[in-house]
Amino acid sequence: MRGPPRLRAVTLIATQSLTKVYGGRVTALSDLTLSVGPGVVGLVGANGAGKSTLIKLLLGLIPPSGGSLSVLGLDPTTQAADVRARVGYMPENDCLPPELSAAEFVTHLGRISGLPRTAARERASEALRHVGLYEERYRQIGGYSTGMKQRVKLAQALVHDPDLLLLDEPTNGLDPAGRDAMLNLIARIGSEFGISVVVCSHLLGEVERICNSLIAIDGGKLLRSAEISTMTTSTDVLAVEVSEGTDELGHRLAAAGLPPTREGRLLLVPLGSAPDAAYDTILAAVADLDLPLHRLEQRRHRVAELFAAREDA
Amino acid sequence: MSVIHDIGYRRYQGPRLGRVSVLAALYVHGMRAAFGLGRTFKAKIFPWSVAGIMLVVGVVAAAVKFQTGLELLTYETFPDQMSMLLILFCAVVAPELVSRDLRSGVLPLYFSRPLSRADYPLAKLAAMITSAFAVMAVPMLIMFLTAAFSGDGMGAVWDEVKAFAPGLAYALLFALVYSSIALLVSSFVSRRAVAAGATVAVFLVTAPVVVVLTFATTTTGQQLAQLASPSTLVGGVGQWIFGRPEGMPEELGIGSFGPLYGAVTLGLIALCVSLLLARYRKVAS
């Protein structure tokens, strides 16, 4: 029997001066100290920043060269099997056998995670259903599209009901619609399923909308780690795009007490403390000036700015 | 009627099984892969045709003995005669068990689960040995049953058992040696065709070496020649257990080196298994 509620206010992942050097020469992570609470965590950084190394360390697949770490309160260097029993991992690369059906493969991996036969079969079909695979699950994986394969990869990480999911670039190779669907699914796993998730991505803009907190690493070093709420409270902006009369609209909004900033063809309007009123003001201004409105979307623009500022420093 | 309700995500509160069950699951998965069960028809063709041929040979031998009393094949000669087919079987099944996983990159999914690095190759090896043994043991069992129950009385059955048991052990030795070699070779090659070729090559390349060595000048050299190839090595152990077959000239036998053949065979199995374990300690995940 396993422990009580999963979203306890415990530390999900903590590292202290974590360092990983490959072959005595290549430093993949250096002196990384961070602490992350439960929820959906974005792990962002360019390719080669050390994201995959961090994940392998968290799973206990490789030993650290220095420092210490804990996952769900366990030490992966000494309790790797206990950590892995409670963690689901979705690798970045292709990892599916084309000759098996998704149902058989996910069931098999459920059994490797220690589920009894019947439970593994039931949970495999549930996991596949949760990721949106129904009758297709009895077909061979070899015939699947990239999007379906990504879903199977996610399902196998979920099959044993982990407390933490480690997803390495889950949107890799997906088209924009597939990407949105995958991100929505991950957000649901975090909120409805109550499973904490670490999402690795090299695209900040992609993960920021589904994450409670973000860790940015670069060159193996921590750039910044923070709760999104602390970064974005009252910093939400609306991006407005009109195909003509951008300046006119800008003046009108400034006069109405919503001074916008210009970014290319976009006007970025801070929503302030009364977002609904700001919405109305903007729509009224666009209607008054009779401008063709192209886009009106809410953004957490500041997150990117905060990271960019750190990177420049 | 049947409406599909989205019941939401359910946590798993049931038991989580230990290492033995996980190993068993991996072993059963390996056995299914070996015989192409749950896979396409194409995956079944080869293992089942080899098994089928051996079965037919066994049935024919049993039937001929039953009808005429003539022994085409004994329990000792059956594994010898089938060894070429067994090489082919191992060369096809071993890549199916390990090369496929290398190729599809599935290993990280195994090693990110509570499965030790040694468990994976050991479960695969157990599946390989079992399947290789089974394709020989089943025809032999048919030969045994036919012979045992066509004789009269329990005495006949017991005589048959005494002949059958060592033959079965001999078949197991073939399965052990061939499986560990085939699995070791395949664990380094991700393309199945290449892995199959490399496995067969290990047996084929060493066979002429034996022939060359039998032209050695001394009788001792000739008697040691069969150590050089896995198939003649196991054959040598067979001679040690069952004695030199009638009609085989002495210089083609193993002389008094039986224990050496036995020791080298065990050493070879141990070497292959430890190299296999070392391979999976290092393999990228």
Side-chain angles (χ1 to χ4, degrees):
Chain A
M1 294 303 289
R2 276 194 313 163
R6 51 177 77 198
L7 282 185
R8 287 163 295 176
V10 292
T11 313
L12 195 64
I13 294 166
T15 70
Q16 186 66 47
S17 308
L18 188 63
T19 301
K20 179 66 192 178
V21 183
Y22 287 110
R25 288 173 291 116
V26 185
T27 304
L29 283 181
S30 87
D31 202 23
L32 189 75
T33 299
L34 55 84
S35 168
V36 194
V40 182
V41 183
L43 177 60
V44 288
N47 291 328
K51 302 187 297 282
S52 296
T53 299
L54 180 56
I55 287 203
K56 283 178 188 166
L57 285 164
L58 295 175
L59 283 166
L61 292 174
I62 51 175
S65 314
S68 61
L69 72 165
S70 82
V71 178
L72 300 163
L74 301 162
D75 183 351
T77 53
T78 55
Q79 300 164 288
D82 297 326
V83 171
R84 291 185 207 142
R86 295 179 57 192
V87 173
Y89 170 48
M90 172 178 174
E92 176 181 2
N93 302 321
D94 285 345
C95 57
L96 302 174
E99 78 278 11
L100 290 183
S101 71
E104 178 167 4
F105 182 59
V106 177
T107 304
H108 172 58
L109 288 177
R111 298 203 64 198
I112 299 301
S113 284
L115 302 185
R117 186 195 305 271
T118 328
R121 199 176 299 136
E122 280 170 16
R123 284 205 56 91
S125 32
E126 273 189 46
L128 286 163
R129 192 168 48 79
H130 282 304
V131 301
L133 287 175
Y134 300 89
E135 291 312 310
E136 312 91 302
R137 68 177 188 266
Y138 298 113
R139 292 202 338 241
Q140 286 193 317
I141 296 171
Y144 284 12
S145 68
T146 310
M148 288 160 77
K149 285 182 185 164
Q150 290 295 92
R151 286 161 189 268
V152 179
K153 281 163 69 177
L154 183 57
Q156 66 77 29
L158 272 176
V159 67
H160 54 295
D161 187 31
D163 293 326
L164 169 65
L165 277 183
L166 299 176
L167 311 179
D168 201 347
E169 303 277 1
T171 57
N172 241 6
L174 298 181
D175 58 21
R179 188 167 297 196
D180 279 344
M182 177 58 77
L183 290 170
N184 290 338
L185 188 56
I186 295 167
R188 263 189 67 205
I189 291 172
S191 54
E192 288 174 36
F193 298 11
I195 298 173
S196 286
V197 187
V198 172
V199 194
C200 274
S201 178
H202 59 281
L203 300 169
L204 172 62
E206 188 172 69
V207 291
E208 64 174 327
R209 73 179 172 85
I210 61 163
C211 296
N212 320 100
S213 56
L214 278 174
I215 303 166
I217 55 176
D218 187 43
K221 291 196 167 63
L222 183 66
L223 277 179
R224 194 184 161 93
S225 160
E227 303 275 314
I228 292 221
S229 56
T230 67
M231 298 190 230
T232 55
T233 318
S234 75
T235 58
D236 282 0
V237 292
L238 271 184
V240 188
E241 185 181 347
V242 286
S243 50
E244 56 185 82
T246 309
D247 290 331
E248 255 177 285
L249 180 62
H251 292 309
R252 175 70 70 100
L253 289 174
L258 293 170
T261 48
R262 185 80 186 260
E263 186 193 274
R265 304 175 52 184
L266 293 176
L267 285 176
L268 300 178
V269 187
L271 284 177
S273 51
D276 288 348
Y279 254 105
D280 293 343
T281 312
I282 295 167
L283 288 176
V286 172
D288 268 1
L289 295 167
D290 199 18
L291 298 174
L293 182 65
H294 259 213
R295 180 153 42 151
L296 180 65
E297 64 179 18
Q298 193 162 350
R299 273 201 182 183
R300 281 164 164 171
H301 186 68
R302 295 276 297 182
V303 177
E305 276 179 2
L306 281 175
F307 280 106
R310 274 300 185 101
E311 255 169 289
D312 293 341
Chain B
M1 278 296 287
S2 61
V3 181
I4 298 171
H5 294 287
D6 187 355
I7 45 177
Y9 185 76
R10 287 191 300 181
R11 290 206 52 188
Y12 177 70
Q13 306 285 5
R16 296 195 184 236
L17 308 175
R19 182 170 171 217
V20 174
S21 315
V22 171
L23 271 171
L26 196 52
Y27 170 76
V28 171
H29 187 74
M31 289 299 286
R32 288 174 61 82
F35 290 103
L37 304 177
R39 287 151 183 82
T40 53
F41 178 71
K42 240 172 68 185
K44 296 181 182 68
I45 297 174
F46 198 89
W48 286 106
S49 42
V50 171
I53 293 170
M54 292 200 194
L55 193 66
V56 168
V57 171
V59 168
V60 168
V64 167
K65 191 182 173 193
F66 178 68
Q67 290 290 336
T68 67
L70 184 71
E71 263 201 319
L72 289 180
L73 287 169
T74 63
Y75 300 119
E76 298 120 59
T77 50
F78 183 83
D80 274 332
Q81 296 299 318
M82 293 299 120
S83 67
M84 197 62 216
L85 277 174
L86 192 68
I87 292 172
L88 290 179
F89 181 80
C90 291
V92 169
V93 171
E96 202 65 42
L97 290 174
V98 290
S99 303
R100 262 193 190 281
D101 286 356
L102 288 175
R103 182 121 175 110
S104 55
V106 77
L107 288 177
L109 300 185
Y110 282 113
F111 294 133
S112 63
R113 293 183 145 77
L115 179 79
S116 88
R117 290 268 168 159
D119 289 352
Y120 174 86
L122 288 178
K124 296 282 184 181
L125 183 62
M128 180 72 246
I129 293 169
T130 315
S131 54
F133 178 61
V135 292
M136 290 204 290
V138 169
M140 290 173 76
L141 186 68
I142 290 174
M143 289 163 67
F144 167 74
L145 291 176
T146 319
F149 295 103
S150 58
D152 23 277
M154 284 309 290
V157 174
W158 180 239
D159 286 344
E160 207 60 37
V161 169
K162 279 190 291 189
F164 178 53
L168 213 53
Y170 188 39
L172 180 63
L173 191 66
F174 267 104
L176 282 168
V177 172
Y178 287 17
S179 297
S180 35
I181 292 173
L183 208 66
L184 175 65
V185 172
S186 301
S187 72
F188 286 94
V189 189
S190 65
R191 297 185 62 107
R192 279 178 301 144
V194 179
T199 305
V200 172
V202 167
F203 290 91
L204 288 192
V205 167
T206 50
V209 177
V210 175
V211 176
V212 170
L213 287 176
T214 48
F215 290 113
T217 44
T218 64
T219 313
T220 309
Q222 289 171 339
Q223 289 173 339
L224 289 175
Q226 301 190 45
L227 289 170
S229 174
S231 24
T232 51
L233 175 67
V234 182
V237 178
Q239 285 185 43
W240 178 35
I241 302 173
F242 304 113
R244 186 153 40 91
E246 282 172 46
M248 180 187 266
E250 197 190 342
E251 65 270 22
L252 289 180
I254 58 164
S256 56
F257 293 108
L260 180 66
Y261 274 81
V264 170
T265 305
L266 288 182
L268 179 66
I269 296 171
L271 179 72
C272 287
V273 173
S274 35
L275 286 177
L276 187 68
L277 292 177
R279 160 72 178 145
Y280 281 96
R281 266 195 299 277
K282 292 221 140 183
V283 73
S285 49

